[in-house]
Amino acid sequence: MDLSRIDRRYIYLVIAIAIAVPLLLKVQLPVSVGPEVQKVYDEIDSLQSRDCVMISFDFEASSVAEIKPVAEAVIRHAFEKNLRIVGLALFSEGTAIGYNIISSLAEEYGKKYGEDYIYLGFRPQYVSAILGMGENIDQVYPLDYLNDDWKDFPPFSDVENYHDISLVVSIADGSLPTYWVEYAGSRYGQKIAAGITAVMATSYYPYTASGQLVGIIGGLKGAAEYENLLGYTGGGHRGMLAQSSGHLAIIALVILANVAALRKKR
Amino acid sequence: MLSKKIPIAVCFLFGLFGLVQYFSPHPAAVSAYSTVLDWVQIIFAFTLLVGVVSLLQIQLKHVSRKEKYWGYSIVTIVGILVMAVFGFAGGTERGTAFMWVFDNMQVPMQSTVFAMLAFFVATAAYRGFRLRNVEAGILLAAAIIIMLGRIPIGEMISARIPETAEWILNVPSMSAKRAVLIGIGLGSITTALRVILGIERSYLGRN
Amino acid sequence: MTELGTLIALILTLMVFSFLYKENPIYRFAEYLLVGISVGYYLVIICRNTIYPLVIEKLFIHGEYLVIVPVCLGLLMFARLNKRWAYLSRLPLSLMIGFGAGISIPAMLQARILKQMSASMQSLATINGIIILIGIISTITYFYFSKRQEGMFGKVTRLGTYFLMVFFGATFGYTVMSRISLLIGRFEFILRDALRVIS
């Protein structure tokens, strides 16, 4: 049997089994916390009650499975610390998903719109939005997502620009944290952290090493680490066994393919 | 005149302004800068609408000319219209018909399209990841260490695996990415200058 | 409604997954539907959440008449839809591209070049710091194509490719991680929310 010419559907089957079976087993693996996630956690944890954090939902629906646990962990932490949250989105689909996540978690924590959080919605041109908020957030977002004047909410009426924002967390599946670093970080000295899909993780290490990013929460594993620090089990933890077996299956496939190729050569 | 010279002049003026205002804290410059940022936002929003109208036009053309798969174009047109009616008439808050369609149709379909990449990446790894030379060996080793180092089972096998993965990410991989970043930065600045000075004109199109 | 929503989401998920067997009409239906719904969603969000507050509200409620300028420029973008008038769209386009180019220069210089270079110089007292510097120099050298990559220069560029291979390998590893996570999300939906096989 020539293993190098195996039908692709057998490979699909192996991957499907490697993911589905661990999900059926209710086994949870211990997760240790890496330095990057710890840095983000420490930064948020060091903020004072009622400090203002900006959470930007910079992702599309395609990556929701991976990025939602990251967003949930950060928002939970912010609500637990009694921080004020300014939510917004620089990707269109992140707008509705971000609004859903933040408002459902607010319900769970008994937080009120306009008092503990606001949601500004979507702006399509992210560079001008990021730069504009450095001058005046009200100019970029005169109205919130629900088309109300958010300045009418007293806890947020004093929020003018990045001077009043302790930390920006960009929850992203692309290069948006880079723009936050280049425009909000460089020009206005804004502190920025990133919650990102794993596929983007290697791109951001130069920014964490240079201190331009506070830290990064990378993918489902990053979410699981953050959940660990907060002491709860969420989407990150639930997927870790399946994640492990999926990786092992692909490593096994690569080894098998190489052995087959070597045998064929001989 | 209007087709080339004026756009190039506008590009030069706004480019120069974008560059110079960075160094000027004068209130007039800051005010003008905020105004232009606002303008860019509004123009860009209209640009996206052009995309929507263009797509609708193409789909309508498919249907009117009964081109291949024209029936599916009707599905696309209906999708656009249904979302538009739901969104404009019922709003975009939680619990609206608009959000219901988004949550139960758009998100599942789009996530599934991207979830299929797991199968494709596995096939690509199986067929393409061959230990042919030193470079391929380094690539393969780095990939396997990261794949093992970022899962709990990797930690269980040996504490050295996540440590090595962390070292790879923070040292050799980071240095290569940093070099690429610096290179892209230099290239972007050169391109930006060429655009402002009217040397790079590809954005004007062919005619 | 929740039950119906989950059922529809399950059917659509399976319709998309049917592509794994082979391209088929069921998948194509889902594909075209997804495009339609996504574009409709986009249209609503742009109009309600961007054009309304930035144009309608500012112009008609706050009387900021200067907004008419970008609106006119924005409307010129529609000239692209007609070949005869398409050149008119170059005006708003040149404004956006020119201004974007201008503001990007200091940002790139500061964030991507100066900050990254200074960070590379700060840890030279450690072995890792030296490895990082060697990695940066050799990788940048690899992208220098004005000189033939041979001799000592060739050895440095070869070292650069090794660093790049580590980066590509690490990125591939993370890509696998990302894609597996997305698949876990869909399988969790099928097994937990739709079929309720797991709690």
Side-chain angles (χ1 to χ4, degrees), chain A residues 145-158:
Chain A
Y145 178 68
L146 305 172
N147 283 336
D148 292 322
D149 191 345
W150 58 273
K151 282 275 185 181
D152 289 343
F153 299 120
F156 292 92
S157 57
D158 63 333

Side-chain angles (χ1 to χ4, degrees), chain C residues 32-95:
Chain C
Y32 278 71
L33 181 65
L34 173 60
V35 172
I37 292 175
S38 306
V39 172
Y41 166 87
Y42 213 50
L43 176 70
V44 172
I45 291 289
I46 291 168
C47 290
R48 283 188 72 108
N49 205 216
T50 304
I51 292 183
Y52 177 79
L54 291 183
V55 177
I56 311 291
E57 171 89 4
K58 283 190 179 180
L59 192 61
F60 297 110
I61 296 171
H62 297 289
E64 293 178 29
Y65 296 111
L66 203 61
V67 170
I68 292 171
V69 179
V71 169
C72 290
L73 288 168
L75 289 172
L76 279 182
M77 286 303 299
F78 283 91
R80 283 192 93 75
L81 299 173
N82 184 306
K83 269 186 187 165
R84 201 172 148 205
W85 301 106
Y87 70 93
L88 289 173
S89 67
R90 290 174 178 173
L91 202 63
L93 210 57
S94 58
L95 187 154

